[in-house]
């Protein structure tokens, strides 16, 4: 018995050559040739090569044909599920969402599997790709994306090359944008075979819910994105690349690193130490792991952390949170924010889990023992703003107005204590701390501290540098953005005579006694003081133009 399989997988000219050879072989006794092939494919190939009817050609060669019945759909599914169980065996416990799988499979994946070979193609691919990202992607979404790669490559390429059109939750901003988005998505959908177009459209809306705003009027919010990030869904912008690179992007936080931090959430010392280490790990762009870790941690605060986690985490963050104020973690521009905001969100939402009568004692205790005045200040500012809105009938607040005042008093007292230490002047948010200290009842205290701190030349230069900032301008039609260093004299005027300060700084510049790191701010301060003395307003548009 000579078995020749997969004939239909040969090139058309090879199909013709093979049948020619078989036809030319001698008819030996006790020798049988069993040929396995897709009849339609073979007929077409022979017709193309010989110009003769392919059916008639085969009839002269095949003595006894057997037409195998199409495989039963139920049997095909069972074979697929058995293979998937073996390939996906490494999935961490609890990560597989059966409900999500049921919806995804019956909506868009089931029509893709028509013959056993389809199962082999998919599971062979998964056996290579899934181990590289196990634990870092949603297993259901990953199966679906690999199905697109294997069976619908045009759809896969559309997502791979334009992820910004699929990920996120934001709907189209206006009618023009919605029309543009509809044209884009209709274009790739039009490349899908007509028989699969409807199921593929539904599948893509399950994988990328944002598409529901393109093809219907369904919209989502940031809360949904937070939930999708917890589930490691492909529709999350910072998770999506792992599905296509088969590795985490540079600087991304792995699920294992996040889970490690979650497990330490009842131990304030260990929790703080883990964040300290993360702040020292930098990506190629200079952004620390702490930024991503805080954002990913926040995704789990609402649903997975309970009141037992509140005190340890709040205590840790209000003690060491200022160590996370890494300058490179804030992307230059108007819209990004620093890690103090990320710390505040975590503390705020944990505070919600605490009994109202216990919130003030918890906060006051953490502030009085903590070493993070900037994070505490940012949090208190948010709480005070909330109480003021609630007093006007705009929503509710976690603290009452008297409670907020008590927390502010505790912060001012703690800041006064920390200001006695020599390293206070080196705090990365010194200008903001002095502003908060001053406006929350410490006007005379901050002025006295400044007078004492600025008595030495070295300290004066540090104070000037602490009040420096950056502004950006961009000329219409140009891509380049110009960055301007600013040291607005108005920011220092409350603490003393800025002209006198400028004269001291100019003297140090003339004597070459200004360290290189402090020189740009020192020179800019002198320049802006001179311009203000000429009657120009430092807050006016174009004040810092050359």
């Amino acid at each position: 018995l000579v078995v020749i399989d997969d004939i239909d997988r040969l090139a058309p000219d090879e199909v013709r050559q093979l049948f020619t050879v078989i036809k030319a072989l001698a008819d030996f006794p006790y020798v049988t040739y069993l040929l396995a092939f897709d009849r339609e494919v073979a007929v077409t190939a022979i017709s193309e090569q010989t110009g003769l009817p392919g059916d008639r050609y085969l009839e002269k060669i095949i003595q006894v044909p057997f037409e195998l019945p199409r495989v039963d759909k139920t049997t095909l599914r069972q074979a697929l599920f058995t293979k998937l169980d073996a390939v996906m065996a490494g999935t961490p416990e609890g990560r597989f969402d059966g409900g999500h799988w049921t919806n995804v499979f019956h909506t868009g994946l089931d029509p893709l599997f028509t013959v056993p070979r389809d199962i082999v193609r998919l599971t062979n691919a998964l056996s290579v790709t899934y181990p590289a990202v196990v634990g870092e992607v949603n297993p259901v979404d990953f199966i679906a994306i690999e199905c697109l790669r294997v069976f619908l490559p045009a759809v896969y390429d559309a997502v791979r090359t334009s992820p910004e059109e699929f990920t996120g939750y934001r709907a189209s901003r206006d009618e023009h944008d919605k029309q543009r988005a509809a044209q884009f998505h209709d274009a790739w959908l039009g490349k899908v075979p007509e028989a699969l177009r409807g199921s593929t459209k539904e599948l893509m809306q399950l994988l990328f819910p944002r598409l529901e705003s393109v093809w219907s009027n369904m919209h989502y919010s940031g809360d949904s994105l937070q939930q999708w990030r917890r589930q490691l869904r492909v529709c999350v912008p910072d998770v999506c690349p792992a599905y296509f690179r088969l590795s985490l992007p540079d600087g991304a936080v792995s699920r294992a690193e996040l889970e490690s931090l979650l497990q330490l959430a009842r131990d304030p010392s260990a929790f703080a130490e883990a964040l300290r280490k993360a702040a020292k790990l930098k990506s190629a762009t200079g952004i620390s792991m702490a930024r991503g870790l805080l954002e990913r941690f926040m995704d789990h605060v609402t649903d997975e952390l309970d009141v037992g986690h509140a005190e340890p985490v709040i205590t840790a963050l209000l003690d060491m949170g200022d160590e996370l104020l890494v300058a490179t973690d804030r992307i230059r521009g108007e819209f990004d924010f620093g890690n103090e905001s990320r710390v505040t969100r975590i503390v705020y939402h944990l505070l919600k889990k605490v009994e109202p009568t216990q919130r003030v004692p918890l906060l006051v205790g953490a502030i009085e023992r903590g070493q993070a005045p900037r994070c505490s200040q940012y949090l208190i500012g948010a709480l005070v703003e909330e109480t003021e809105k609630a007093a006007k009938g705009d929503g509710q607040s976690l603290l009452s107005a008297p409670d907020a005042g008590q927390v502010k008093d505790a912060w001012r007292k703690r800041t006064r204590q920390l200001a006695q230490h020599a390293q206070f002047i080196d705090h990365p948010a010194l200008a903001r701390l002095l502003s908060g200290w001053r406006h929350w009842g410490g006007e005379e205290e901050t002025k006295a501290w400044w007078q004492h701190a600025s008595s030495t030349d070295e300290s004066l230069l540090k104070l000037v540098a602490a009040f420096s900032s950056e502004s950006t301008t961009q000329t219409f039609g140009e891509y380049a953005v110009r960055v301007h260093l600013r040291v607005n004299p108005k920011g220092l005027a409350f603490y003393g005579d800025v002209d006198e300060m400028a004269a001291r700084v100019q003297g140090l510049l003339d004597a070459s006694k200004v360290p290189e790191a402090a020189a740009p701010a020192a020179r800019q301060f002198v320049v802006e003081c001179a311009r203000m003395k000429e009657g120009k307003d430092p807050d006016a548009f174009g004040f810092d133009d050359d």
Side-chain angles (χ1 to χ4, degrees), residues 21-37:
V21 170
I22 294 172
K23 184 179 180 181
L25 289 173
D27 186 11
F28 297 114
Y30 307 112
V31 176
T32 301
Y33 295 92
L34 177 61
L35 311 179
F37 56 90

Side-chain angles (χ1 to χ4, degrees), residues 142-158:
F142 191 77
I143 293 173
I145 292 297
E146 284 298 276
C147 282
L148 295 181
R149 185 169 70 87
V150 173
F151 303 115
L152 300 170
V155 180
Y156 178 86
D157 286 340

Side-chain angles (χ1 to χ4, degrees), residues 273 275-282 288-290 323-324 326:
E273 187 58 30
L275 287 175
R276 287 190 181 99
K277 291 180 180 178
K280 296 177 182 178
L281 298 175
K282 305 291 184 67
S288 80
M289 184 188 291
E323 298 177 42
L324 306 178
V326 182

Side-chain angles (χ1 to χ4, degrees), residues 506-515:
Q506 182 64 65
L508 294 172
L509 287 168
D510 293 340
S512 300
K513 293 183 178 180
V514 179

